[in-house]
């Protein structure tokens, strides 16, 4: 995995979202960090296994369309977050909620079908699967630490995360630029 893909994946998974909000809420409620990270890994692991198994039946053109849709979704989410959004940290930060939210989170879809190179060998997908689990554990740990340390207004964090999502969407579109130029 090259450094740019690693950076893009990190930005994707560290950005605020429902799973990260639950991790932060769990940290505020003093839930066990290892239990929450394991639940997150299970959820993302299941989701990515499903998406990776669909790769052989999805055409490269469909993946390009999905990449455009993913970029548009990230731009909308990023703009909403920078403009007026607030992280909604619910009081339900338990492990089951984290696992289910992670499994349903579109970030796994974006990672598996838009970030992982289309032309990669099926055997190499295991490396990307492991990278996903390590990446989510690292970024989840950030949110657990924020939940324990972060007090006061979250507005600046939301603006930075929103700008990062928009930047990520532009990086996601980078491989499509030669196609548009034709």
């Amino acid at each position: 995995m090259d450094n740019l893909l690693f950076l893009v994946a990190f930005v994707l998974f560290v950005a605020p979202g429902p799973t990260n909000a639950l991790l932060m809420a769990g940290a505020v409620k003093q839930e066990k960090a290892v239990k929450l990270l394991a639940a997150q890994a299970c959820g993302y692991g299941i989701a990515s296994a499903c998406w990776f198994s669909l790769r052989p039946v999805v055409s490269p053109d469909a993946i390009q369309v999905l990449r455009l849709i993913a970029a548009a979704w990230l731009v909308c989410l990023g703009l909403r977050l920078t403009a007026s959004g607030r992280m909604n940290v619910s009081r339900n930060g338990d492990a089951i909620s984290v696992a289910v939210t992670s499994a349903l989170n579109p970030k796994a879809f974006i990672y598996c079908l838009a970030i992982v190179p289309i032309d990669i060998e099926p055997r190499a997908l295991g490396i990307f699967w492991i990278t996903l689990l390590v990446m989510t554990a690292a970024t989840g740990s950030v949110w657990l630490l924020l939940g324990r340390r972060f007090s006061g207004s979250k507005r600046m964090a939301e603006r930075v995360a929103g700008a990062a999502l928009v930047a990520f969407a532009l990086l996601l579109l980078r491989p499509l630029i030669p196609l548009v130029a034709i």
Side-chain angles (χ1 to χ4, degrees):
M1 185 169 196
D2 72 31
N3 290 336
L4 182 59
L5 287 178
F6 185 75
L7 175 65
V8 167
F10 181 83
V11 169
L12 173 67
F13 287 109
V14 82
T19 300
N20 292 334
L22 287 174
L23 289 172
M24 191 162 70
V28 168
K29 289 173 43 180
Q30 302 297 318
E31 295 279 334
K32 299 232 185 262
V34 173
K35 181 174 75 171
L36 294 175
L37 289 176
Q40 178 195 32
C42 287
Y44 278 127
I46 290 167
S48 62
C50 291
W51 286 115
F52 279 149
S53 68
L54 290 175
R55 283 176 67 100
V57 297
V58 177
S59 73
D61 291 337
I63 290 176
Q64 297 299 353
V65 170
L66 291 172
R67 188 177 294 219
L68 285 171
I69 292 168
W73 178 78
L74 289 174
V75 167
C76 291
L77 182 63
L79 292 176
R80 188 176 69 197
L81 197 57
T82 40
S84 64
R86 293 269 179 220
M87 281 189 273
N88 184 13
V89 181
S90 72
R91 300 302 292 168
N92 299 325
D94 64 338
I96 293 172
S97 296
V98 170
V100 171
T101 303
S102 298
L104 298 175
N105 197 323
K107 290 179 181 181
F109 158 77
I110 293 169
Y111 176 81
C112 295
L113 295 180
I115 294 176
V116 175
I118 296 169
D119 56 352
I120 193 157
E121 292 181 21
R123 285 186 231 169
L125 287 177
I127 294 169
F128 283 94
W129 188 73
I130 291 168
T131 301
L132 169 89
L133 296 179
V134 170
M135 183 71 59
T136 59
T139 58
S141 296
V142 168
W143 282 93
L144 287 169
L145 289 172
L146 282 175
R148 292 183 189 222
R149 304 278 186 234
F150 211 19
S151 63
S153 174
K154 298 177 196 79
R155 190 69 192 128
M156 182 55 73
E158 292 168 349
R159 287 185 176 164
V160 169
L165 283 173
V166 172
F168 169 73
L170 296 174
L171 287 174
L172 193 59
L173 293 174
R174 185 180 61 110
L176 299 177
I177 293 172
L179 297 175
V180 175
I182 296 176

